Amino acid sequence: MLLIGLKNTGTQTVLETGTINIGNVYRKYCRANRCGVPAFTVTSNGVTLNHEGIYHITATLVGTGETAGLVSVQLAENGELLTGAISSETITTATTEFRTFVIDYYIKVDKDCVLGVTTTDARTVSLVNVSDGIDATFTSVVLNVTKEV
């Protein structure tokens, strides 16, 4: 099993529809394929899944809303929000009432044939604040990805 864990414990305010900073690698077991491509490529806003297979994504965030209301975090794949990969919490006391958001999801990465050459259709996953009109503040973001198959 290959895995990567990312963590951001710095406080960050994320605007509505903004991408959440997932931080830095805190654990990793990764191998390159025979072409030298690593299983995971990381930026501060996302993780690219480079090998064919099924990946298990678990995201745990602690945050609050800048105003009272429903705060929601959703997983995106290649910039498109994934139905069912969302966590929402109601904030009644803005900026002081912290809630834990959890997303658990599986993503499949397929092979493609481009001009007669087999290639992997890499997928980039990210976390987005999809709260309706509410900016959110997160004090902890942990994103773990394991390649299951």
Side-chain angles (χ1 to χ4, degrees), residues 1-2 51-56 106-107 109 146-149:
M1 173 177 20
L2 305 178
H51 293 180
E52 174 190 24
I54 297 174
Y55 293 82
H56 184 201
Y106 286 90
I107 291 181
V109 176
T146 57
K147 184 175 185 300
E148 301 292 317
V149 182

Side-chain angles (χ1 to χ4, degrees), residues 20-91:
I20 298 166
N21 184 318
I22 57 175
N24 299 311
V25 175
Y26 75 94
R27 80 174 97 146
K28 182 177 184 180
Y29 177 70
C30 179
R31 284 184 273 170
N33 63 14
R34 64 179 177 242
C35 296
V37 178
F40 310 104
T41 307
V42 179
T43 67
S44 62
N45 292 327
V47 177
T48 302
L49 315 174
N50 295 316
H51 293 180
E52 174 190 24
I54 297 174
Y55 293 82
H56 184 201
I57 314 289
T58 305
T60 305
L61 304 91
V62 175
T64 188
E66 293 297 304
T67 57
L70 189 66
V71 175
S72 300
V73 176
Q74 192 164 5
L75 188 67
E77 177 183 346
N78 288 350
E80 294 185 30
L81 298 174
L82 296 171
T83 304
I86 189 169
S87 180
S88 300
E89 292 289 338
T90 301
I91 305 296

